[in-house]
Amino acid sequence: MEEMVGRWWHVALTRLTRPEHAAAAVQLSDVKTAIGLLFRAAGGQAHVRLAEAGLQRTAAPRHWLHRLAGSGERAALAVMEPEVLALPPSVAVFADPALNRDLYLWLALLTAHWVPSGQWLTDNRRATRRALDAFPGFHPRYERLRDLHLAQRPPVPGLRGRAALAEQAVA
């Protein structure tokens, strides 16, 4: 009985701490061609190959449920190296597969415009501005992804105001 309750507890905590939508997951292998085309069309280097990202330790603060479940310490994060653009093997952030596909495309577009200076937030804003200037038709998708992502986050005082300021800096 204890073992059954333990398994149930683990499954319940895992579901609470991973806001994934498995039924809407998009696999990197299914969108690899589209990602490669967009990355190169956006100015990404032709010699860069696409690969699946491995799990990396994250520095993000964890919610108490993550600490209790022992999760949230590692994630498959997008990484740009001189020869490789590594993206998560699957994306299941949203309940709609089209949005998960758009998120993959956004990662490719953003990465193609990324110029690292060591200041992640500044680099992100600049890359976002460059990407949206180069591909203005992507702006409605970007806004939808951004708004839905912010809506998924737990309420943090001042976060919405800071997001609006960040958007003004991009515009």
Side-chain angles (χ1 to χ4, degrees), residues 12-65:
L13 277 177
T14 301
R15 284 186 184 152
L16 282 172
T17 60
R18 285 191 200 151
E20 293 183 354
H21 302 277
V26 174
Q27 303 303 313
L28 177 59
S29 57
D30 294 337
V31 293
K32 202 170 187 177
T33 300
I35 290 170
L37 288 170
L38 182 59
F39 177 75
R40 284 165 183 74
Q45 298 293 320
H47 70 277
V48 172
R49 67 179 175 81
L50 291 172
E52 288 187 5
L55 293 177
Q56 298 178 32
R57 189 168 189 79
T58 63
R62 296 186 306 152
H63 188 274
W64 68 270
L65 278 174

Side-chain angles (χ1 to χ4, degrees), residues 17-128:
T17 60
R18 285 191 200 151
E20 293 183 354
H21 302 277
V26 174
Q27 303 303 313
L28 177 59
S29 57
D30 294 337
V31 293
K32 202 170 187 177
T33 300
I35 290 170
L37 288 170
L38 182 59
F39 177 75
R40 284 165 183 74
Q45 298 293 320
H47 70 277
V48 172
R49 67 179 175 81
L50 291 172
E52 288 187 5
L55 293 177
Q56 298 178 32
R57 189 168 189 79
T58 63
R62 296 186 306 152
H63 188 274
W64 68 270
L65 278 174
H66 287 130
R67 291 191 302 271
L68 182 64
S71 64
E73 291 180 350
R74 298 179 152 296
L77 304 174
V79 176
M80 181 64 189
E81 296 176 354
E83 306 279 326
V84 177
L85 169 56
L87 296 173
S90 69
V91 171
V93 175
F94 302 108
D96 180 354
L99 290 169
N100 291 323
R101 183 178 187 280
D102 283 350
L103 183 53
Y104 262 131
L105 296 175
W106 175 248
L107 288 172
L109 189 58
L110 188 66
T111 305
H113 290 90
W114 190 267
V115 179
S117 72
Q119 299 282 326
W120 184 86
L121 186 57
T122 301
D123 294 344
N124 195 9
R125 284 187 197 150
R126 286 181 185 153
T128 298

